[in-house]
Amino acid sequence: MKMPTRNTLTLLSSGLIVLCFLIFGILDILDYVIVKIILFSSFALLAAYLIRIVLKDSETEEHSNSQ
């Protein structure tokens, strides 16, 4: 089986976070502290991953332009 691309992984993880917000909001358990910690930390990890991708792409672009 072929490994999914980073775009696919990012899209799946962001969709999962949004789905969790929706389900936990409907079930009225979004007010629990542990649920908030889990959801917001997963959102922060996704944001950090996206920043890492952008920085890595800009580094590779700079190296390819200078050669």
Side-chain angles (χ1 to χ4, degrees), residues 6-7 10 49-65:
R6 62 182 177 201
N7 290 336
T10 306
Y49 179 69
L50 291 175
I51 290 170
R52 189 175 134 229
I53 288 174
V54 168
L55 292 176
K56 187 176 179 183
D57 284 347
S58 66
E59 285 178 6
T60 57
E61 186 176 296
E62 287 175 8
H63 288 299
S64 66
N65 286 340

Side-chain angles (χ1 to χ4, degrees), residues 16-48:
L16 183 65
I17 293 170
V18 169
L19 185 65
C20 286
F21 269 111
L22 179 69
I23 290 172
F24 293 155
I26 290 172
L27 295 176
D28 203 28
I29 59 172
L30 197 56
D31 291 333
Y32 296 146
V33 174
I34 190 70
V35 173
K36 286 182 184 179
I37 290 171
I38 291 171
L39 287 176
F40 285 113
S41 64
S42 64
F43 182 73
L45 287 172
L46 178 64

